[in-house]
Amino acid sequence: MAERPLVVGIDVAASRPCVGVALRLHAAGGRLDAVSWHESLPAATVASGIRKASQVGSAGPRLKAPPDLLDWLDSLRPAPVVVAVDAPQGFNRRLLERQSAGGHRSRVCDFELLRRRIGVYQVPSRAEVVADPGRLPAWMAVGFDVYAALRRRGYEAPLDGSLPAALGQPPAVLEVYPYAAFVMLLGRPLTRKTTREGLRLRVATLRSEGVVWDKGGGDEYYDHDSLDALVAALTGWRFYQGLAHAVGDPREGLLWLPVSAERFASAGALYYER
């Protein structure tokens, strides 16, 4: 009997741990079980230790993907068919700005969310970061290195409409955005994830989508980083099923949502509250 596939969601951070979760379809079907978790050492802590050990000069440490997070990914069996990452996958290429004078400065995928009044984090261009490295937030730098590490392991960003591991295709790495995923699944905006109501809505949404991670015991995975990792993994599963929708331009990077194209199109203008 073929092994049931694994999908992974990763919530990226710099000063806090990166959180990873692996989901697998239950043997009887009908639900997705969390079968493995990992909280990494914070990337900033790892980089600081490297800096001290090597006596690097006054320049700040370069933040990279936490090695223990990558070791955890490598240990998963079977190897994941999809890894969904909560972070931008690359620099802003200003594609919209180039199309017309006074064009929008956001990435294409971010512009599609902004049109629906879903707030996003602005991603800088490569030129901006070369001129001022401080323009790249630390957590985005960690995310860039997570994608680089996954590409070295054979994961590729898919085109819209493709399926991972089908007809010889490589495993997929997806960019996802948990807030937008929750909005699309719930059908309306959510309150901030740091509030009790915001957490309640996220937990209820995941449960309604068949994700099982606590099995009725403890509350160790009710923090917002873990919930973001869970909905990232759910998005990966929807992609594996052929039920996810991508927005953006492949030249700059697609962002995947756990809903169909029809459901996304019907979302309309949604009010945003972080």
Side-chain angles (χ1 to χ4, degrees):
M1 181 180 296
E3 290 184 284
R4 284 168 286 135
L6 283 182
V7 295
V8 166
I10 297 176
D11 178 71
V12 171
S15 59
R16 304 189 313 277
C18 293
V19 178
V21 61
L23 297 183
R24 174 184 285 144
L25 186 67
H26 189 267
R31 76 182 198 211
L32 288 169
D33 289 331
V35 296
S36 183
W37 286 90
H38 185 77
E39 286 192 5
S40 74
L41 289 172
T45 300
V46 174
S48 178
I50 293 172
R51 182 184 180 192
K52 291 176 182 177
S54 60
Q55 296 183 332
V56 176
S58 60
R62 179 183 177 184
L63 296 186
K64 301 178 75 66
D68 60 312
L69 175 70
L70 301 177
D71 290 344
W72 170 74
L73 277 170
D74 291 339
S75 73
L76 294 172
R77 294 293 182 273
V81 294
V82 185
V83 177
V85 182
D86 171 20
Q89 61 192 281
F91 290 109
N92 187 337
R93 297 185 64 182
R94 305 290 187 214
L95 297 179
L96 291 174
E97 189 176 37
R98 295 176 186 177
Q99 289 179 6
S100 62
H104 208 282
R105 289 176 59 80
S106 296
R107 296 186 302 163
V108 178
C109 60
D110 295 331
F111 176 70
E112 289 298 326
L113 298 181
L114 288 169
R115 288 176 57 201
R116 289 160 175 81
R117 308 181 84 169
I118 298 175
V120 299
Y121 296 98
Q122 287 298 322
V123 181
S125 68
R126 186 186 299 274
E128 289 171 333
V129 174
V130 169
D132 178 9
R135 294 290 298 272
L136 182 66
W139 69 272
M140 286 190 190
V142 175
F144 284 7
D145 198 61
V146 169
Y147 285 104
L150 288 168
R151 287 192 290 269
R152 290 193 296 270
R153 285 161 170 78
Y155 290 84
E156 294 184 9
L159 297 175
D160 196 5
S162 62
L163 295 174
L167 301 178
Q169 293 193 60
V173 56
L174 311 180
E175 177 182 340
V176 300
Y177 179 25
Y179 178 78
F182 279 119
V183 168
M184 290 295 159
L185 290 170
L186 189 63
R188 63 181 177 86
L190 290 80
T191 50
R192 292 176 175 86
K193 62 185 180 182
T194 53
T195 66
R196 178 173 295 182
E197 177 64 10
L199 288 175
R200 185 193 69 79
L201 286 171
R202 286 162 173 79
V203 167
T205 301
L206 287 167
R207 285 179 172 160
S208 71
E209 297 296 330
V211 180
V212 178
W213 71 98
D214 61 337
K215 302 186 188 302
D219 60 355
E220 61 272 27
Y221 297 121
Y222 287 90
D223 62 281
H224 61 78
D225 292 332
S226 297
L227 299 179
D228 282 352
L230 283 164
V231 81
L234 173 62
T235 304
W237 178 252
R238 291 288 172 82
F239 169 78
Y240 182 77
Q241 293 178 299
L243 299 176
H245 174 61
V247 294
D249 188 307
R251 294 173 295 171
E252 197 172 48
L254 298 175
L255 187 149
W256 292 84
L257 297 162
V259 295
S260 66
E262 293 75 18
R263 190 167 170 184
F264 177 78
S266 66
L270 297 169
Y271 290 94
Y272 169 74
E273 180 184 2
R274 183 174 294 283

